[in-house]
Structure formats: C-alpha cells, structure tokens
C-alpha cells in the first residue's frame, strides 16, 4: 500500500481509534485512583493527554511489527492490543499480570501483540527497536519497529547512537518523540540547546516530521507515510509529536511548575475532544459517541475488577525467569 | 562524643530532609562546593531531598539534561579546575548509564595522571529495594564498585550518619559515592540546629551499634535496622549479638569487626543484594583468610536471592533478608 | 572423551585465530547467528581475531559505528526477533560505556518480562592485563558482573576451551559474556579440522587441569598458566597441588572445588584483578560458609593490588600475581 | 581582543607554529621507531599529518585555558607546551614521565600547561572539558576549554550529551573534530549516517565551522574566532578540521583499507608543506626554514636521548597515586 491509500482514515477506523483512546484514558484514571488509595506501590507515570500518539502510530502498524516504549507506556502497550485485565494485573503485581508481577507499572510487555517492552531507564529501549529493525532487514520480514520516547530522552546518549546506527544501516524504524514539553519537572528549554527536536533528524540522514500529537488522524497519517518508507527499504524516520500530559510526571508530582493556563489550553485540545469533533464532522451522532464511551467504560471497569480479583504471585515465584536453562 | 559535651541545640529531621541540610551546610561553608543533577534545583529533587538549595545558592545548584555521562564527566572536569562538585544520579540503578565515567574516568584520573589530578567529586544516588520500584529502580548498586580501586563508598543507615557522612564525603579530596537508601527516607533522627563540625562522621570508621558477646552481625542501611530487630529477638532467647554497621564499604574498617570477633568468634554478614561479588562475600573472605583462627563456626552470609529485584510485594519482601532469616542464621551458628 | 575415540583430524591454531574459527563454525551451523562490532568485518577485528568472516558470511557480519550502547542494545533487539547475535566489545574495559545495556537490559530482560523474552546474546570482549595497554585497556572486567544475576560468564584459558566455550556460548539461550584474555592470544592448541560438536565445552563445568593431594589451587585465564608453573615448582619441593580452572564463573562449578578440598583441605584462589568484590573472594566466602569443616588452614586469595593497572612494565609485572607469589602462598598454607 | 586582531598571523607567530609542528612530527617519528624496535609495549596512535589541528587551535589559547584529547594526543599535549623529554619518558614508561609511567602513550597529561589529559576511552573526555568550561563560567576566570576528538568519536553517546549540555548552558568550550576520514579502519561513510559532521552543530544550538585541518593558519583563525566567542559568553563552537593521519590507526595497522592514491593526495597537502609555502610567501628564506627544522631535530633527539637515559619506576611505585588521603 502507498502512504496515501494507507492513510485514508475511514469513519470505522477513526471510531476504532477513539475507542482505544477512551480505553487508555479510563485505564489511566483507574490506575490513578488505585495509587491514591495506595493499592499500588513504587511509582507510576500516566498517559492521559498523549493517547493520540500511541493510538495513531500503532494504527499504522500491522501484525509482526513491534514497539518499545517508556515507563509511561501503558497507553502504547494497550494501543497495540495488550489485554486490559492482564495489564491492570501487572500494575497490581498479580500472578497473571503481563509479566507475572515481576516488572510492574514501568515494564508492561506483551510479546503476543509485538509490545517488546516498556523501559524504566530513559533511552535504553531505542537500540532495542534498532535491533528489531536490523532483524527485519536481515530476515526480510518487512516488519517495522516503532520506538516511543520523551523530549527529555532525546538528550541521552542512546538516542544519538540509535538514530545514527538506524540511519547508516537504513533500518525500518520509526523514532517517535512524545514531546510533552517537560522531562520530569524541567521544561524542555531548560535542558535542550535546540528545543526544535525534529531538526536533529538531519544529523542522522533521515527525514524529520513534526506533528500535532493530539490529533490522532495527523499522527496516523504521518506514521503511515513513515511506515511505508521503512517497508520500502528507505530507512528510518524521526516523528516529533507535540503533546501534553494532563497529570504530573508521576503520582508524587502536583505539577506546580506549570505556567498558569497551560494545562487548560491543552485540555481544550484533548485528543478525545479533537477526535470526537472529527467524528461529528463525519456525521457520527452524539448517541453513538456516548455509546462508544459507555462501552469502553464497561470494558475497562470489568477488566479492573477481574484483575483485582486475581491472586498474588507466590513468594517463591521470584526465583523463576532469570534463566532459560541453568 | 564531644558534641554531647558541648550540648548544642538539636533538631529532628528525617533521612530525606537531612540530605538537603547536609548539602546546604557544605554549600554554605565552602564556596567551591557546587551541585548538579536532574531536577535537583527548581523541583527540589525527584525525592524532594534537595529542596530549597537552588533558591539559596543560585547558579551553584544546576538542573541538568537527562545525560548521566555528562553529569559525572562535568563534575570531574569542574573538580579539576578547583571546584568541589556534588553530582546526583537519581536512582543508583542509573549508575549503569554513566559507569564508564565513574569507573574509568573518576576512579582512575588521579592514578592515570601520576598524581597530578585531585578529583574531589561526590556522587549521590538513591539506592536499594523494598519500595516497589521494580527491577531497574531498586538495586543496591554499591556492590558494582567494589572491584574498582579509586572510589570511596559510604552507605549511611541513620539520619546522623547521612548528615555526617555526606558532609565528610564532600570535604574528602578523593571521589566518594554516597548511597542513600530509598527505604530509609522516612526514618527520623536528630542533628545539630546549626552547622557543627563535631557531627561530621569520618569516612572509614564503623559503628558498633549494639554490644554483644555471642555473635557479630555486620549489616548496612536497611539491613542494619533488621539486624537490630533480630538482635532483640535473640536477646529474648538469651543470645547477645553485637551489631556493627561499617557505614563505609571502601575503605573498610576491618579492625572493628576483628575486635568484635575476638569476643564472639562467630560472624554473620547481612547484605541486601545478590550474594556473589558483594561486600558481604568480600568481608567473609577477608576474615576467613586473615583471621581464620578467630572463627569457631562458619562465617555466614545472609543475602538476597541471585535474581533481579521483583516488583510485586510478596516477591520483593521475600527477596529482602528479614529479621527472621537473620535470627535463624545466628541460631544455627550458636548451635554449630 | 568421545572425540578422541572417533579420532578426528586436528589442526593447531592460536587462541587469537581460534576465535574466528569458533565464530565461523557457529555462523555456518546456524543461519540465525549474526555478528556485529567495531571493525570486526572488513578489517577482521582490532586483534585480527575475526578475519575472513565478513567475506564468508556477508551481511550477517557487520561493522558498527563506535557506539557500544547501540551495539549491545541492537544485539538484544535482534535476539528478541529470533536471531542469535554475537556482539564484540573491543576491550572489556569498554563494558563501562554500555554497562547499562548489559546489566539493566540484557541481564534482566527475561525476568522483567516475566519469562516472555529469550535473549541468546553472546558478548565477546578482550580482557585483562600484562600487555602494556595501561589503566583503561587492561582490566579483568569479569569481576564487574558477578553481582548481576542473568549473565553467564565464561573465561577460557586455552585454545580448546576458547573454541568449545565460545561455541557453547553462542548456542546458549541465555546471555553469555565471553572474556578473551589479551595475554593469551599467542598460545597454541589443537582443535578439530572440521566442525565437531564433540569439542563443545559445556558452560558451568570446571576443568581439573592437574591432580594433586596437598592443596587446591583455583585459577582462570593467564593465572591458570601461572598456577601450573607454581605447581611444577611445588612438585620439586614435594608438594602436589591440584589445579582447577573453573572456566565458567557464572554458573560456578563449586562441586569440583569441593571434591578437591575433601582431598586437600587447603584452598588457594589466584585471581587477576583487585581483591575486593571479585570471584576469588566470592569463592572463598562460599567455601568458608558452606564447607567450613573441610578447611584445615585459612583459604587464601592471591590477587592483584587494589590499584588500577599501571602502564610501565616493572609496575604492571608486579601488579599481576606470578608463580613465585602462588608458590609462597601455598608453602605458607602447608606450614600452617 | 576581537577575532580579527586575534587572528593576525604574523611571520613570527607562523614560524613558531611551524617549529612546534616540526617537533611533533619528529617526536612521532621517533616513537614510531621505538615501537618497531619493540622499545614500547601496548599500543600507540600517531599524529603525523594532523599537526596543524593541535598547533592551530592551541595557538589561539592563552595561559589558564585547558585541553583534553584522545589516545592520539601526543601532538595536542606537546602543542600546549608539555616538555618533549618527559613526554617521551611517559611513553617509555619512565619514572619521571609526565604521569610517572602509570598512564603511558594513551594518557599524556600535563596540568602545568593546561593539558588535562589524553583519554583512551573514545568520547570520555568531552564532558571533562564541559566541566572545565562550567568551572570557568562559575568562577568567572574567562578560561576556555578545547576538546579534541575524532570523526568516529562523534557517533558515541558522550558526544551528544556533552554538546547539548555545553550548548544549553552556553559554556566556553571548543569542540574540535579531527576528521581524518577513518575510525580505526572503517571509513566515516560506513559508520556515519550524515558524514557532514559540522551540520550537527545545529542540533546543539551552536555554530559549526568546517576548516582545512592541514592549514595551520586556517585552523588558527577559526579557533581564534571561536575562542573570542566563548570568552564573550556566547557559548561553544563546533570546529570540524578536515585532516588525515599519515600512518595507520595504531602500530599494528598497515592501513591496507585506504584507496590507492589517497595518502599521496594528502601528503601533497602535508601541513608542514602548506605552512612552509605560506612562510616562503611571507619572504622567509629556505636557509631559515632549514635551520628551523634542524633546530627542532636537535631538540627532539636530545630529549629522546635524555628520556631513554632516565630510570624505570620501582615496582612499589604502582601503589601510589590511587588516593589523595586514605
Ligand atoms: C537514565 C535515566 N535517567 C533518569 C531517569 C529518571 N527519569 C524518569 S522519567 C524522567 C523524565 C523523562 O522525560 P521525557 O523523556 O520527556 O519523558 P516523559 O516522562 O515526559 O514522558 C527522568 C529523568 C531514568 N529513568 N533513567
Ligand atoms: C568507547 C571506546 N570504544 C572503542 C574504542 C577503540 N578505539 C580506539 S580508537 C578508535 C577509533 C576512533 O576513531 P576516531 O574517533 O575517528 O579517532 P582517530 O583514531 O581517527 O583519531 C576505536 C574504535 C575505544 N578506545 N573506546
Ligand atoms: Mg517529556
Ligand atoms: Mg578518525
């Protein structure tokens, strides 16, 4: 398929994207509630506000393609099709969570849908997707790998090494910057000499495209073009999706560092609102849109209940999964 | 302790807050002290353990990009020019990202330059398991550096030691790695209301936390507290355990352990983290090879499992040695 | 050994050249094996230990940029997709640059994913001191990884072990670090003229290199050869030493050492590298704590000094344990 | 001084530069001879052909400024003024070598002239010079730090982290790429997605200047401008000096991988020849030029003899210099 054909967003396709965005939004709100009730320990990093990036990009992928993402990765893994209940279960540390409770919120992984993993070390996953791309090139599978990372991650060494290697080997990789304007608390301008991250693509001999990360259609179209390019053997693309996280960096962050009004501005461009507007323009009725959300709500709360009811791992389970054979 | 003689006014702080206090006292005392790291300034640190420093010390406290290699290397370069930098690596696990700068540049600079370089860099890292942070945010990373000559390593377990050792680390003319245990952030303790050098804790000096005659238990950070719990349980069984907190792993205060062994003849080392290649095995090897005749029973290592740190509570709790395991190990030695 | 029964034709190769031979045999046997690293292809490797592979295997052998983090991470990603990558890190010292990828990604991937991932990655590195490469190109880096569960570690000391262990490492479904000692590149040995699985050396099995009754000497890589020298000197003094080469550090073949100790009751461990946090101290701790009653004398560690590796010959030579130091340590134990 | 004034290359200044280039050339030829006679162990990396880069840049520095460089650093450290004899002695592993014989060929260091060190780990030194720049900024010393590294080093993570940090903090640092077209044996095009390295400057919000690295005057002028910029508080500059190493990567390298004629082309633009031509144009006579070389030869061979005659370190010296106090 060419980018153009690929990029035609039918009403059904957009409804499906909206469904997944709703599920991710509700999933994250549920997790947020659990944390405030101390049902989950450690740290968590939520994706509300960035749903269009994960959903738009993964919608341009096909079976056999892979992703890697960050500790803020619930949305990406769900967008790729990981089951809601086992994703919840992993965050709750249940025995049949996606990773058997060994990884937790920062490590959601589901090989069965091509989600190679969420990484807790900033930047560590970029070379992993480069390797997946190398395998695709060598084995001629035509598979594409997409790696999601933040604006802050663009300043760590692995970013540089991964993009240069993918560029010089012309690997089928999508580098997706989720630029939400902040690292943990530092605004990008305080940490980045040239905050126009998309311009870095030139250093790596690949095209760079900056997109509205809150418009799932814009994200999808840009991703589809990059995917076609990768499948055609023309190499990687750097996508910079401009977006915003509605909550703080992690549960412990009230996000006081944000200028007044910034959040409100972005809430007005909430990816769910943007997509709903598009759907209405396509002639989808309000009741259908409400039904879509209601169904998502039901699915998510069922999954949450199911996950809650599942058993904890046994202490001795900690000794498994270090080795394949020993 | 002279400090108690001069009886200065004391304040109660927790382990988290005393970090900012120690940094502030050194920044105030020595204009050459500077501090850099990710979100340490405007945001007051990911663990809120550096709040107020940026406001008070301005450009001497700097937020950096997410670039651990640059953070450590920049600290080293600044040290060569006469500054006394403190670098924060948010979680000790991230030491992996800048390991080369720590072990090949920082640790070896003085040696490689034939003594020309002085590199008074302090690297602070949040350490250890028990808080549900998962496999890549929970490692007791102090054991990664034992085989690298050139790095001093301190592992404070109390508010007073955190205060006194961090200040001593910053004043030390050699590189010092300071491991701040995440699971101890909430414990409370007392430090002088005003900066007072009497409360500096010397690097390389162990602390005999509790006296005893039957067995010597050596433990650091959260294991020190669990060892004390175990000592209480043992006391009720008529066994008196001497509990020693080395506080510094490099250089290691072997004498204090040996002195205790002359009394107890029995050694139990409690180490958070996998058994191989750790300070616990190193201590047992030193004692076994150099003080073999002191031992009436097998020196015992109580350590974590040889696995990464699991996320889910039941698994992580089991991974960490607890008082029950320590007590059991001691009882077995007593019966030996 | 079945191999000698079927008596295949043998060829003599040196340790350097047998590396390319082992890689070629695995590349030829399994189409999923791939190999990447800096200058490993067109140039045949910085140590000329991978010559001819690029010409023979084409795109499955790739020269990379100077980007160790990307090299290891790319190998991991490719492994997840079903390939069996071999990554070369030119000098083991450079493991510092990609330490995070090795310890946080490669070692933990299977665990963190709850067993979903299989990461059959082999990482080869030129290791050790004695060739005058200075502080940052001479470290025995195998000791940096002992506290990191999830990595198998092999340390071949002979041509046959290099051949058999490297091939086993590549076939292993877990990550394996292979340390190739620079100071052994020139030693010669015999391997089968044609690929022959009978010459695979299993990971985790020690080799009793020389039998003896009075003392057990455990040593790896160039120290194994010096231990054998020492054993000769000792024999002339009427002391018979059993020399064991573990060949693999993780998993460690403790049983073979214990079996020997039941006979000798005396242990000397010879380790290249600083004493703290190494495999030597770990072995001594394991034996002391679990087989205390087997020991008639203090278990002894003969190691390098707690300093970086110096450049100048007189200093580097003194830094490395030699046969004389090993003999002296044994004699002291015998007198104990 | 402004860049323009600063950059006036008088005949005396150029004669002095040529003198130092001769000394470096002869120094390296001597070391090469020693290696072939196995008087030195380990590895060595020679600088013949690149002399104009070190001499041109360091000539734009003043007392108090600092440098860091690579294992191919003999030229840089000598250009800054390190004594020939103690530099030779370090390579020979003598007790009074610059580093007491502890570092060797890859680690020449002389704090007394601002040579903070030669680094054996590719890229490791870039952050060190960034730190020196930070200290200068904080202490207001007006000092500038210059860091030299190769084209291959531009692909390692520390390059990225160091340039971004220097860029965002506007530190007084000169990043000098010694682009000699090869890593160890791989041509830059095989390892670098966009071999036009100077273009990377844009990613770090700093100017990038590509210069003829074999013309010491061109190097000096570009460096002088960058130094002025740094002292004025305007931040770092990326200089890409195009040059060529006459010998292989290290003593064990016959450099068979070079296309036929490439070396000859570069030999025709040997920095010593280029500078000599400029001097002749300035009216310097052949006898003076010959005298210059003869004097350099004498100084270098005297220094070599002196170094050879010095004693080895004692074995027990290895135990010193790990700690300041312990
Ligand atoms: C190597 C490393 N350094 C620091 C951290 C701590 N940390 C976690 S998230 C984060 C901010 C990342 O910002 P960005 O890349 O923009 O992603 P975002 O969280 O905004 O999605 C930091 C510094 C880490 N996990 N790994
Ligand atoms: C981190 C690291 N990786 C690899 C090496 C081995 N190595 C030494 S020099 C070199 C090539 C460097 O090329 P370049 O940066 O162009 O510098 P040049 O040698 O051409 O001056 C390599 C790969 C090293 N020393 N450090
Ligand atoms: Mg961000
Ligand atoms: Mg080069």
């Amino acid at each position: 398929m060419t980018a153009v054909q690929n990029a035609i967003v039918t009403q059904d396709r957009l409804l499906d994207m909206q469904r997944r965005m709703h599920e991710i939004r509700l999933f994250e709100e549920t997790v947020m509630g659990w944390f405030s009730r101390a049902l989950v320990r450690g740290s968590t990093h939520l994706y509300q506000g960035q749903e269009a990036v994960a959903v738009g990009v993964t919608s341009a992928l096909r079976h056999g393609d892979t992703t890697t993402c960050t500790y803020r990765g619930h949305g990406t893994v769900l967008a790729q099709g990981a089951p809601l209940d086992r994703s919840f279960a992993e965050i709750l540390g249940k025995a049949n969570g996606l990773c058997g409770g060994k990884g937790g919120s920062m490590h959601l992984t589901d090989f069965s849908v091509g989600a190679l993993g969420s990484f807790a070390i900033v930047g560590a996953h970029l070379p992993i997707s480069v390797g997946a791309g190398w395998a695709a090139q060598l084995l001629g599978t035509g598979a594409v790998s997409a790696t999601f990372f933040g604006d802050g991650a663009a300043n760590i060494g692995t970013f540089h090494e991964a993009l240069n290697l993918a560029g010089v080997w012309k690997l089928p990789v999508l580098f997706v910057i989720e630029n939400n304007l902040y690292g943990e608390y530092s605004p990008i301008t305080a940490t980045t000499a040239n905050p126009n991250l998309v311009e870095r693509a030139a250093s790596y001999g690949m095209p760079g495209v900056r997109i509205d990360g809150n418009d799932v259609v814009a994200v999808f179209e840009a991703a589809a073009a990059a995917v076609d390019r990768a499948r055609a053997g023309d190499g990687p693309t750097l996508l910079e999706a401009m977006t915003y996280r509605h909550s703080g960096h992690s549960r412990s962050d009230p996000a006081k560092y944000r200028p007044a009004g910034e959040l409100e501005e972005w809430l007005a461009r909430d990816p769910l609102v943007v997509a709903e507007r598009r759907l209405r323009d396509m002639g989808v009725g309000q009741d259908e849109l409400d039904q879509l959300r209601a169904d998502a709500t039901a699915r998510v709360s069922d999954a949450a209940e199911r996950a809650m009811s599942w058993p904890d791992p046994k202490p001795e389970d900690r000794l498994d999964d270090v080795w394949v054979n020993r | 302790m002279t400090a108690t003689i001069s009886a200065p006014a004391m304040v109660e702080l927790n382990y988290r807050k005393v970090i900012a206090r120690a940094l502030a006292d050194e920044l105030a005392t020595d204009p050459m002290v500077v501090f850099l790291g990710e979100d340490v300034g405007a945001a007051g640190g990911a663990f809120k353990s550096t709040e107020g420093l940026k406001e008070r010390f301005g450009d001497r406290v700097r937020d950096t990009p997410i670039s651990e290699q640059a953070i450590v290397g920049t600290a080293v370069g600044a040290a060569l020019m006469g500054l006394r930098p403190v670098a924060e690596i948010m979680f000790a696990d991230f030491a992996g990202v800048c390991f080369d700068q720590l072990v090949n540049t920082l640790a070896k600079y003085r040696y490689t330059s034939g003594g020309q370089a002085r590199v008074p860099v302090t690297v602070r890292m949040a350490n250890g398991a028990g808080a549900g942070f998962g496999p890549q945010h929970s490692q007791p990373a102090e054991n990664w550096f034992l085989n690298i000559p050139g790095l001093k390593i301190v592992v404070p377990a109390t508010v007073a030691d955190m205060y006194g050792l961090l200040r001593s680390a910053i004043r030390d003319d050699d590189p010092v790695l300071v491991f701040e245990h995440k699971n101890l952030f909430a414990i409370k303790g007392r430090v002088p209301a005003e900066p007072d050098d009497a409360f500096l804790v010397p690097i390389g000096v162990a602390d005999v936390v509790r006296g005893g005659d039957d067995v010597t238990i050596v433990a650091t950070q959260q294991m020190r507290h669990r060892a004390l719990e175990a000592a209480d349980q043992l006391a009720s069984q008529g066994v008196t355990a001497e509990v020693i907190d080395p506080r510094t792993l490099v250089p290691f205060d072997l004498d204090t352990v040996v002195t205790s062994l002359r009394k107890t003849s029995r050694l139990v080392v409690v180490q958070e983290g996998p058994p191989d290649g750790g300070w616990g095995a190193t201590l047992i090897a030193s004692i076994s090879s150099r003080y073999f005749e002191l031992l009436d029973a097998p020196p015992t290592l109580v350590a974590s499992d040889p696995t990464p740190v699991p996320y889910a509570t039941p698994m992580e709790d089991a991974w960490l040695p607890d008082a029950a395991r320590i007590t059991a190990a001691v009882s077995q030695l007593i019966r030996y």
Side-chain angles (χ1 to χ4, degrees), chain A, chain B:
Chain A
M1 290 194 292
T2 74
V4 187
Q5 294 164 324
N6 208 342
I8 289 169
V9 179
T10 59
Q11 179 176 309
D12 287 358
R13 191 173 232 164
L14 185 52
L15 280 167
D16 181 63
M17 294 186 191
Q18 179 74 330
R19 172 186 61 74
R20 283 186 289 154
M21 291 202 289
H22 272 306
E23 288 180 357
I24 293 168
R25 175 68 55 90
L26 295 159
F27 183 97
E28 295 294 63
E29 283 169 0
T30 308
V31 173
M32 206 167 180
W34 285 346
F35 269 100
S36 48
R37 282 157 53 205
L39 288 173
V40 188
R41 288 156 71 227
S43 182
T44 192
H45 311 80
L46 301 172
Y47 201 65
Q48 295 104 310
Q50 306 185 191
E51 294 90 347
V53 183
V55 171
V57 171
T58 56
S59 298
L61 300 179
R62 71 182 184 202
H63 180 74
D65 294 340
T66 61
T67 64
T68 59
C69 57
T70 74
Y71 48 85
R72 195 181 303 289
H74 306 165
T76 313
V77 175
L78 291 171
Q80 247 192 316
L84 289 159
D85 51 10
R86 295 194 57 217
S87 301
F88 271 134
E90 185 58 30
I91 293 169
L92 289 166
K94 299 293 192 172
N96 57 349
L98 289 175
C99 309
K102 291 198 168 76
S105 171
M106 295 199 281
H107 293 290
L108 298 188
T109 304
D110 187 351
F111 277 36
S112 69
V113 299
L116 297 183
S118 310
F119 287 66
I121 305 285
V122 164
H125 56 302
L126 277 67
I128 306 306
S129 284
V130 169
W134 184 40
Q137 185 185 64
L138 274 173
L139 301 172
T141 58
V144 167
S145 57
T147 179
F148 298 77
F149 54 95
D151 46 287
N155 290 330
I156 198 160
T158 46
F159 166 88
H160 182 64
E161 297 189 4
L163 271 75
N164 179 61
L165 186 60
V168 71
W169 287 6
K170 285 207 166 307
L171 300 177
V173 182
L174 269 59
F175 294 95
V176 184
I177 305 180
E178 301 178 301
N179 187 344
N180 59 14
L181 312 184
Y182 294 89
E184 285 202 357
Y185 318 108
S186 301
I188 180 169
T189 48
T191 58
T192 310
N194 175 358
N196 206 342
L197 297 174
V198 69
E199 290 179 9
R200 294 185 179 180
S203 296
Y204 310 112
M206 65 180 76
V209 187
R210 185 177 253 193
I211 45 181
D212 175 354
N214 281 24
D215 179 355
V216 73
V217 173
V219 173
F220 172 79
E221 286 170 354
V227 165
D228 282 356
R229 202 171 166 277
R231 291 208 210 283
D234 298 333
T237 300
L238 177 65
L239 297 174
E240 182 182 14
M242 304 308 295
T243 185
Y244 199 77
R245 53 169 155 79
H246 291 172
S247 47
H249 164 70
S250 66
R251 61 161 169 165
S252 58
D253 171 24
K256 293 231 177 54
Y257 44 84
R258 294 167 164 176
E262 187 178 74
L263 173 61
E264 292 63 27
E265 242 172 65
W266 282 92
L267 285 175
R269 299 201 282 111
D270 183 324
L272 289 166
V273 174
V274 173
E276 190 151 306
R277 200 176 302 123
R278 281 185 174 276
L279 283 163
R280 262 202 225 83
D281 297 348
M282 286 175 161
V284 179
Q286 190 56 46
D287 43 5
E288 187 175 351
L289 294 171
D290 296 343
Q291 190 56 48
L292 187 78
R293 189 179 197 296
D295 295 348
T297 311
R299 273 193 307 279
V300 170
S301 53
D302 290 357
E305 263 179 49
R306 224 171 10 258
M308 287 278 235
S309 74
W310 284 336
D312 288 339
K314 290 189 273 346
E316 55 273 29
D317 295 343
R318 73 189 187 279
L319 302 173
D320 306 334
D321 299 331
V322 180
W323 311 101
V324 175
N325 50 58
R326 175 168 177 170
Chain B
M1 184 156 125
T2 61
T4 47
I5 293 162
S6 63
M10 303 291 283
V11 290
E12 187 177 75
L13 287 177
N14 65 24
Y15 187 93
R16 176 199 308 273
K17 294 247 175 285
V18 84
I19 294 168
R21 169 60 196 282
L23 287 166
D25 288 357
E26 285 309 302
L27 280 156
T29 313
D30 180 350
M32 299 307 267
V33 174
V34 293
F35 175 41
L36 78 168
E38 294 158 11
D39 297 303
V40 299
F47 300 102
K48 300 281 168 280
S49 53
T50 60
E51 279 179 331
L53 298 176
K54 179 75 184 170
E55 294 71 4
R56 183 167 165 201
F57 298 101
D59 279 353
R60 291 168 60 199
V61 175
R62 289 214 70 166
D63 288 320
T64 68
I66 306 171
S67 307
E68 281 78 9
Q69 297 189 84
I71 291 169
V72 176
T74 297
V76 172
L80 297 177
M81 305 311 287
L83 293 177
R84 202 169 270 284
V86 179
E88 172 175 309
I89 301 300
M90 198 182 289
F91 284 73
D93 311 68
F94 312 158
V97 177
C98 50
F99 200 71
D100 173 70
Q101 287 291 326
L102 293 168
V103 309
N104 287 328
T105 300
L106 178 60
K108 297 177 174 54
Y109 213 127
R110 181 169 182 81
Y111 195 78
T112 305
S113 67
Q116 294 179 71
R118 212 169 245 264
V119 197
V121 171
T122 300
V123 182
R124 298 176 38 244
M125 318 182 222
N127 197 46
F133 281 98
Q136 294 181 343
H137 279 59
S138 304
Q139 297 169 86
E142 64 271 32
N143 290 317
W144 299 0
F145 299 93
L146 302 172
N147 195 244
I148 311 293
L151 299 172
K152 294 177 179 175
I153 301 178
V154 301
V155 286
T158 68
V159 169
D161 286 347
M162 182 72 249
Y163 178 74
L165 281 168
L166 178 49
R167 293 191 65 189
S168 294
I170 296 170
R171 294 183 181 202
D172 199 282
D173 283 336
D174 291 310
V176 184
L177 308 184
V178 178
F179 290 90
E180 305 167 354
H181 202 291
K182 294 194 291 294
N183 238 21
L184 297 177
F185 278 142
I187 64 167
K188 292 189 155 38
R190 297 166 65 72
V191 291
E194 296 305 317
D196 183 340
D197 289 2
F199 288 82
L200 290 174
V201 174
I203 289 176
V205 179
D207 185 15
V208 179
V209 182
R210 173 185 177 123
D213 302 322
D214 303 324
V215 63
T216 301
I217 305 179
V218 183
T220 60
Q221 300 211 307
Q222 72 177 330
M223 291 301 118
R224 163 205 168 128
H225 299 280
R226 297 184 179 195
L228 285 170
E229 264 181 75
D232 285 337
Q233 297 171 7
L234 289 161
S236 65
Q237 302 164 23
V239 175
T240 70
E242 183 144 293
V243 178
I244 297 175
D245 179 354
R247 301 192 293 191
T248 302
L249 296 181
V250 179
F252 195 92
D253 179 0
L254 201 61
D255 296 348
T256 297
V257 174
V258 169
T259 306
S260 176
L261 283 174
R262 294 197 189 286
K263 211 171 28 168
T264 66
S265 309
R266 290 182 177 76
L267 175 65
V268 171
V269 181
V270 189
Q271 175 195 283
E272 178 176 336
D276 293 2
W279 67 267
T282 300
L283 173 57
I284 287 177
S286 307
I287 295 294
S288 307
S289 53
R290 295 161 55 186
Y291 301 94
F292 190 63
E293 70 287 352
L294 288 185
L295 298 169
D296 288 351
T300 304
L301 176 62
V302 178
S304 304
D305 306 300
T307 76
V309 184
Y311 166 74
T313 310
M315 295 192 287
E316 188 182 28
D317 288 352
W319 188 86
L320 282 169
D322 58 10
R325 276 185 61 197
I326 301 167
T327 308
V330 169
S331 309
Q332 199 177 349
L333 272 201
I334 299 293
R335 282 194 308 274
Y336 184 86

